[in-house]
Amino acid sequence: MSAVEGSAAGSGAAALVATDVTKRFGSVEALRGLSVTVREGEIYGLLGPNGSGKTTFIRCVAGLVRPDAGSLALWGGEPREAVAAGRVGYMTQAAALYVELSVEENLGFFAALEGVDGVRQRIEEVLRTVDLLDRRRSVVGTLSGGMRQRVSLAAALLHDPRLLLLDEPTVGVDPTLRRDFWDHFRGLATRGVTILVSSHVMDEAGRCDRLGLIRDGRVLAEGSAKELVARAGTADLESAFLTLSEGATA
Amino acid sequence: MNPRRVRAVAKRIAEQFRRDRRSLGLLIGAPILVMSLVGALWGSSTAQVSRIVVATDRAPAPQLVAALRRSPALAVTETTVDEAMRRLRDATVDAVISTRVGFVSTEIVVVMEGSDPFRSGTTLQSIQRAVLAAVSVPPIPGAPPAGPPPVVVEYLHGGPDHTLLDLLAPLLIGVFAFFFTFLLSAVSFLRERTSGTLERLMATPLRRAELVVGYLAGFSVFALIQAVVIIAFTVLVLNVKYSGSLATIFLIEAMLVIVSVSLGLFISAFARTELQAVQFIPVVLVPQIFLSGLLVPVDQLPDVLRPFAAIMPLTYSNEALRGVMVRGLEIGDPVIVRDLLVLAAFGVVTIAGAIASIRREVA
Ligand SMILES: Nc1ncnc2c1ncn2[C@@H]1O[C@H](COP(=O)(O)OP(=O)(O)O)[C@@H](O)[C@H]1O
Ligand SMILES: [Mg+2]
C-alpha cells in the first residue's frame, strides 16, 4: 500500500465514482439514481434524514449490495476487488462485533481477516486512537453503546484502508471524543485516506470537505457546508438542508 | 392479580404467535410429522425377515430344517459351515444353524451375528419358534412328541456379556455429534446473520468458502473432543466394550460433523430467530433418529420409509460406527469405505448449500 500523498481536501484522482445508482428492496426504492464522486484524500459527508438511503449506498460501496442499475467503481474497478485487496474499511451503523469476545479478541479476528502484520502493536495503536486501550480485555457485551462504536471504528482502521466508510460513526459518542474522532479523520485524510461518512447530525457536517444532501435515495445538493448555506441563503446548515430539500420536492 | 393485565399479556402472546406463522405451523405440524413417522414405522405389520443359513455339512434334523423353512419370518439358505460363517462375518446373514455332538445328545448350535440388538432379538425368537414347532410334530404319527433338543446360542458380536448399551452407544456417539453441532452451528450462524457480523465479514477479504470451512474446522474440533469424552465416559464409567480403531471412529465423526455443521449453516438462512432455528430439530433430527437404523434395522423399514433412510446422513454414520465399534471392521472394509464416501457426498452438497445460502443474503 503506497501512501499516495493527496494534497489538501481531495484534489487527487477519483477514488469513488457512483453514477445513477438505483436499488430497490421489494416495493421500497432505497436509491433512485444517486451519483457521487469522491476524490482521494477527501472527506465526503452523506447528509440526510433516516431512511434516505445513506446506509444502502455505503453497503453498495462496500460491495455488499449490488445496485439494480447505474455504475459504481472504486479506483476504476469493482467494489469487491477493492475490498478483497484490503483497501476498504467499513464501520457499520450498528456495531457488528462478537459480544462474547473481548475487545482484543474481536480486533485480533478482524486483523487476521485483513492480513494485518504486527497485530499486537497495531491493535494497541487503534485502541489508543479510540481511547479504549484500558478496556482491551473487556468483553464487548459489557461495553456501552458508545464504546462499542469505538471498537467498531478501531476494527475499521486496523488494516490502514485507503477508503474508510463510516456509517454514522459518532452516534452515542460523547462530544469530546467526537471532536477527537474528527481530528483523527482529518489526519487520515491529510495522509491521502478517502473518507465517506454518513450523518444526520448537522454540526458534524461542517467538518467534511464536501457534503451531499441526500433525500429519497438522491443527491439534492452538493458542495461544502459554506457553499450550501450560501446557496440556500440561510443562517445555518440545518435550515439550508430544509430549504434545499423543499426546493427539490416543489 | 389484575385480570386486565393478565389478559393483556395473554393477548400479546397470541398476537406474537400470529405473526410467527412458522412456530404456529410447527406446533401443529411437527407432532403430525413425527406421529405419521411412528405410525408408518410401528403401525404397519411388515415383520422382520431374518436371513439364516443352515450348515449342510453339519445339518440339523430334517424336520427342523423343514420347520425353519416353513417360518415366514425366516429366509433360509444352505451352505457349508465355513461359507456360512464367512457370510456371518460380512453381516450378510443374521444367524447360522448347525449341530455339534455333545456328551448326551447332539446340540443345535445357533450362531448369531449379533451387532444389532433389535435384529438379533427378533431372529432368535423366530428360530426358537421353529425349533418348538419341529418337536411338536412327532417323527412317527401317533408317537408322543420328543423333548426339545438342546439349543446352544453363540454370538459373533455382542451376546450375553454385552448389554444393549454396548451395542447402541456407538450409534449414540454419532447422534450426539450430529445433534449438537447442527444446533450450535445453526444458532451461531443465525446470530452471525442477524447481528450484522456476517455482513461485516463480507466487507473484508474473507471469502464465503473460507468462512464455511472455518466453521467446519472449528466445530469438528469440538465434536471430536465430545466424542473422546463420550467414549472415555462410556468405557470407564459405564463399562461399555468397544472394538475398532479410534482414528477410524474420528474420521467417521469428522465426516458426519462436516455434514451437520454445513447443514446448520444452510438451515440458519431459513430462520429469523434462535427459536425458529431450534424448531428445525423435529424436522431435521427426529426423523433421522427413527429411520437411521438406531431403533429399527434400515432394511426392515416399511417400503415407504426406506428411501427417506437412504437420504439421511445418520444412516451411514450409524452403519459405519456400528461396523467399526461393534463388528471391529477396519477402515479399508468396503462397508466403511462406502459409508465414508456417501458421507463425503452429503458433505459436498451441504457445503455447497451453505455457501449458496450466504450469497442469498449478501449481494
Ligand atoms: N435490506 C432491506 N430490505 C428492505 N428494505 C430496506 C433494506 N435496507 C434498506 N431498506 C429500506 O431502504 C430505505 C433506505 O434505508 P437506509 O439506506 O438504511 O437509510 P438511512 O441509512 O439513510 O437511514 C429505507 O426505507 C429502508 O427501510
Ligand atoms: Mg442508516
Side-chain angles (χ1 to χ4, degrees), chain A residues 25 28 30 49-56 59 93:
Chain A
F25 295 107
V28 180
N50 277 323
S52 55
K54 304 182 298 292
T55 296
T56 304
R59 292 175 67 217
Q93 182 167 358

Side-chain angles (χ1 to χ4, degrees), chain B residues 242-271:
Chain B
Y242 292 137
S243 43
S245 95
L246 211 53
T248 312
I249 296 167
F250 278 4
L251 183 62
I252 298 166
E253 278 266 311
M255 298 297 279
L256 181 66
V257 165
I258 285 170
V259 176
S260 63
V261 170
S262 46
L263 191 65
L265 304 193
F266 175 72
I267 287 281
S268 72
F270 302 95

Side-chain angles (χ1 to χ4, degrees), chain B residues 82-94:
Chain B
D82 290 345
E83 169 62 13
M85 290 307 290
R86 202 187 54 73
R87 290 189 199 168
L88 201 66
R89 274 189 294 275
D90 286 348
T92 54
V93 298
D94 301 313

Side-chain angles (χ1 to χ4, degrees), chain B residues 114-118 120 157-159 162-171 240-242 322 326:
Chain B
S115 64
D116 184 329
F118 300 113
S120 305
H157 309 291
H162 279 63
T163 61
L164 197 57
L165 185 67
D166 291 330
L167 302 178
L168 291 186
L171 312 202
V240 166
K241 299 171 206 56
Y242 292 137
R322 169 172 281 155
V326 180

